[in-house]
Amino acid sequence: MDILWGLLTLPYAPVRGLTSVVKVIAREAESQQHNPVNIRRELEELDRAAAAGDITPEERDRGQQQVLDRLITPAGGAEVTPPEAAGRRGDQHRG
């Protein structure tokens, strides 16, 4: 039965292979994006660029916030809101 199923689904093998490759690439990209070494390197590059005058302090702060936001975003992509931040956001919407 397995041989028959394999033969019947043989035309879909390239699609299954491509899907597997895409999943591996996505997993690797996700791990690189959340790698503490890479995050530290990006923060140091922002500091160097600001010290050299290539970017403004505001641009550095925005860049740092974007990098640090990746630390609190889990690998699945859904953002986790810390309890203290959730309370502040709720207060802003009420006002």
Side-chain angles (χ1 to χ4, degrees):
M1 186 66 183
D2 288 335
I3 294 173
L4 180 60
W5 182 253
L7 289 174
L8 289 174
T9 60
L10 189 61
Y12 299 107
V15 174
R16 287 193 307 261
L18 181 61
T19 303
S20 297
V21 170
V22 168
K23 285 180 183 178
V24 169
I25 291 171
R27 234 186 344 249
E28 181 62 26
E30 194 75 33
S31 70
Q32 290 294 322
Q33 187 176 22
H34 290 88
N35 186 342
V37 173
N38 291 338
I39 289 174
R40 182 180 179 109
R41 185 179 315 124
E42 288 181 45
L43 292 172
E44 289 172 351
E45 287 174 6
L46 285 167
D47 286 339
R48 273 194 291 268
D54 294 339
I55 60 174
T56 65
E58 292 81 18
E59 290 173 325
R60 183 196 65 207
D61 291 344
R62 274 194 305 261
Q64 286 176 343
Q65 188 60 48
Q66 289 173 351
V67 171
L68 293 175
D69 283 346
R70 289 197 325 242
L71 287 175
I72 61 171
T73 303
E79 186 173 336
V80 175
T81 304
E84 62 275 1
R88 282 181 274 157
R89 286 185 185 165
D91 293 342
Q92 292 173 353
H93 293 297
R94 290 184 200 140

